[in-house]
């Protein structure tokens, strides 16, 4: 009777150790550390936690706008009307309050105005097939002109103290600006929406290959409409915070804010032609550029050079995107 043969099996090989890959996010985090270290040398006391937190008051609105712009650019679009729409929302809110509407209702009217403005952009892009650059370039002029027209270029500044506290007060023992939690909550919500939902996957798909996404059954037009509507909603939030911070609603608010917002998003790794980008990258882009601008001013650098640096960072951001996209993994 034959004896059963014993099979000898080779011991299972251990999985290879994970290789660390230096990504764009790591590079931005390192850049932020180096930047803040340099500013700490140039400006004594700049790295104090209270100083860094207080500086965040200057970029809360810009950061909120950058979150919405991430969705727009990832989808292959662009929105040049955000600053003009912000001014229009602020003016509508201020004038309706001045006309006797309770301020909470005036704020809701402002939010409705911002969302409506975003939906107008989205409808023209999605259903009329117009290029986002052309559409938002036109609405940039329309929204700004409407803000000047309905306000007669006059400012509204007689807001109650409780409203001003939204943009001027501090919490946590006077250390944290009251509006900072709004940016944190908005960033977390946008990250979950873009990274963890079907809607987010559709946004990436439209930016990467709109035709293939359409053939896969995705309602491309509705997704685009929702993207620009979301942008309008975030513009409204930024408008309320900014109006409260300066205690004034005026038609010339946020002139030229489009460039820094786009620069922050692109610097954060969002591909300008769409299909790639992350909310954490945008947040880092906001921090890098905002603290750079503020630090240079604190160090005595003239404001006009700040504009030059914003433009330079925008170009460098595009170049860095291409480098990390083509780098072998």
């Amino acid at each position: 009777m034959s004896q059963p043969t014993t099979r000898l099996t080779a011991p299972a090989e251990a999985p290879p150790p994970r290789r660390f890959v230096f990504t764009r996010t790591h590079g931005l985090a390192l850049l932020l550390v180096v930047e803040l270290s340099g500013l700490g040398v140039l400006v004594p006391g700049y790295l104090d936690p209270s100083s860094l937190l207080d500086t965040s008051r200057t970029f809360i609105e810009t950061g909120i706008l950058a979150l919405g712009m991430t969705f727009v650019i990832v989808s292959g679009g662009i929105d040049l009307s955000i600053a003009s729409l912000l001014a229009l929302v602020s003016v509508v809110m201020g004038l309706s309050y001045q006309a006797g509407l309770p301020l909470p209702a005036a704020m809701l009217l402002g939010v409705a105005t911002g969302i409506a403005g975003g939906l107008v952009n989205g409808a023209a892009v999605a259903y009329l097939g117009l290029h986002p650059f052309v559409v938002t370039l036109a609405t940039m002029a329309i929204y700004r002109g409407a803000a000047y027209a309905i306000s007669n270029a006059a400012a509204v500044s007689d807001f109650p103290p409780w409203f001003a506290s939204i943009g001027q007060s501090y919490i946590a023992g006077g250390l944290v600006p009251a509006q900072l939690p709004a940016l944190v909550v908005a960033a977390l919500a946008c990250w979950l929406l873009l990274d963890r939902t079907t809607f987010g996957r559709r946004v990436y798909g439209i930016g990467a290959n709109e035709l293939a996404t359409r053939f896969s059954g995705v309602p491309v037009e509705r997704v685009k409409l929702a993207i620009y509507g979301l942008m309008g909603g975030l513009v409204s939030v930024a408008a309320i915070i900014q109006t409260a911070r300066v205690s004034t609603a005026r038609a010339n608010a946020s002139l030229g804010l489009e460039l820094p917002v786009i620069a922050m998003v692109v610097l954060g790794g969002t591909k300008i032609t769409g299909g790639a980008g992350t909310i954490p990258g945008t947040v880092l882009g906001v921090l890098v550029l905002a603290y750079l601008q503020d630090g240079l001013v604190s160090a005595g650098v003239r404001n006009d050079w700040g504009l030059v640096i914003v433009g330079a960072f925008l170009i460098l951001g595009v170049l860095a995107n291409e480098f990390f996209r083509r780098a072998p993994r």
Side-chain angles (χ1 to χ4, degrees), residues 126-153:
Y127 294 103
L128 299 181
L130 302 179
H131 196 282
F133 182 89
V134 177
V135 170
T136 58
L137 184 63
T139 55
M140 176 176 69
I142 293 171
Y143 296 153
R144 183 73 66 178
Y148 276 109
I150 64 176
S151 66
N152 290 319

Side-chain angles (χ1 to χ4, degrees), residues 13 20 39 63-64 82 109 131 138 148 198 212 216 231 268 289 307:
E13 295 184 1
F20 174 76
L39 291 173
I64 291 173
I82 53 172
L109 183 60
H131 196 282
Y148 276 109
T198 301
S216 68
M231 181 77 256
L289 207 52
L307 294 175

Side-chain angles (χ1 to χ4, degrees), residues 151-245:
S151 66
N152 290 319
V156 178
S157 56
D158 56 340
F159 293 104
W162 70 261
F163 178 71
S165 67
I166 295 175
Q168 299 176 11
S169 62
Y170 291 82
I171 58 176
L175 186 65
V176 179
Q179 66 269 42
L180 185 58
L183 176 60
V184 174
V185 171
L188 288 173
C190 288
W191 171 72
L192 289 172
L193 184 61
L194 186 61
D195 199 63
R196 292 289 188 270
T197 67
T198 301
F199 176 77
R201 290 191 291 273
R202 289 175 173 178
V203 173
Y204 282 113
I206 292 172
N209 192 325
E210 181 175 333
L211 186 61
T213 303
R214 188 184 300 276
F215 284 154
S216 68
V218 172
V220 171
E221 287 79 12
R222 281 188 289 172
V223 174
K224 285 185 177 182
L225 188 66
I227 291 169
Y228 285 91
L230 173 64
M231 181 77 256
L234 290 172
V235 167
S236 301
V237 174
I240 291 172
I241 292 174
Q242 186 188 78
T243 305
R245 181 169 61 85

Side-chain angles (χ1 to χ4, degrees), residues 5-318:
T5 58
T6 303
R7 290 186 177 180
L8 298 177
T9 58
E13 295 184 1
R18 285 188 172 184
R19 183 170 62 93
F20 174 76
V21 178
F22 188 81
T23 66
R24 179 180 186 81
T25 303
H26 297 125
L28 278 172
L30 179 61
L31 177 61
L32 181 61
V33 171
V34 172
E35 174 189 301
L36 291 177
S37 300
L39 291 173
V41 174
L42 292 174
V43 185
Y46 192 81
L47 295 183
D48 290 344
S50 59
S51 175
L52 292 175
L53 286 169
D54 189 61
T55 300
S56 70
R57 296 177 67 245
T58 64
F59 62 78
I60 298 297
E61 304 98 76
T62 310
I64 291 173
L65 294 176
L67 296 174
M69 188 66 76
T70 304
F71 284 83
V72 173
I73 297 180
V74 166
S75 71
I78 196 74
D79 193 343
L80 302 176
S81 70
I82 53 172
S84 298
L85 184 56
L86 187 152
L88 180 59
V89 170
S90 179
V91 166
V92 166
M93 180 173 60
L95 290 179
S96 57
Y97 170 68
Q98 191 179 57
L101 195 66
L103 187 50
M107 293 167 65
L108 289 176
L109 183 60
V111 171
T113 301
I115 295 174
L119 291 176
V120 167
N121 290 339
V125 170
Y127 294 103
L128 299 181
L130 302 179
H131 196 282
F133 182 89
V134 177
V135 170
T136 58
L137 184 63
T139 55
M140 176 176 69
I142 293 171
Y143 296 153
R144 183 73 66 178
Y148 276 109
I150 64 176
S151 66
N152 290 319
V156 178
S157 56
D158 56 340
F159 293 104
W162 70 261
F163 178 71
S165 67
I166 295 175
Q168 299 176 11
S169 62
Y170 291 82
I171 58 176
L175 186 65
V176 179
Q179 66 269 42
L180 185 58
L183 176 60
V184 174
V185 171
L188 288 173
C190 288
W191 171 72
L192 289 172
L193 184 61
L194 186 61
D195 199 63
R196 292 289 188 270
T197 67
T198 301
F199 176 77
R201 290 191 291 273
R202 289 175 173 178
V203 173
Y204 282 113
I206 292 172
N209 192 325
E210 181 175 333
L211 186 61
T213 303
R214 188 184 300 276
F215 284 154
S216 68
V218 172
V220 171
E221 287 79 12
R222 281 188 289 172
V223 174
K224 285 185 177 182
L225 188 66
I227 291 169
Y228 285 91
L230 173 64
M231 181 77 256
L234 290 172
V235 167
S236 301
V237 174
I240 291 172
I241 292 174
Q242 186 188 78
T243 305
R245 181 169 61 85
V246 301
S247 293
T248 304
R250 60 185 190 274
N252 63 347
S254 303
L255 280 170
L257 194 62
E258 304 87 2
L259 177 60
V261 169
I262 294 172
M264 289 169 175
V265 175
V266 174
L267 183 63
T270 299
K271 189 178 177 184
I272 195 65
T273 54
T278 65
I279 294 297
T282 292
V283 171
L284 283 171
V286 169
L287 295 177
V288 167
L289 207 52
Y291 277 114
L292 177 63
Q293 290 177 301
D294 180 79
L296 291 176
V297 171
S298 300
V301 178
R302 286 176 10 197
N303 289 337
D304 48 0
W305 283 109
L307 294 175
V308 174
I309 292 172
V310 168
F313 264 73
L314 179 57
I315 294 174
L316 290 174
V318 174

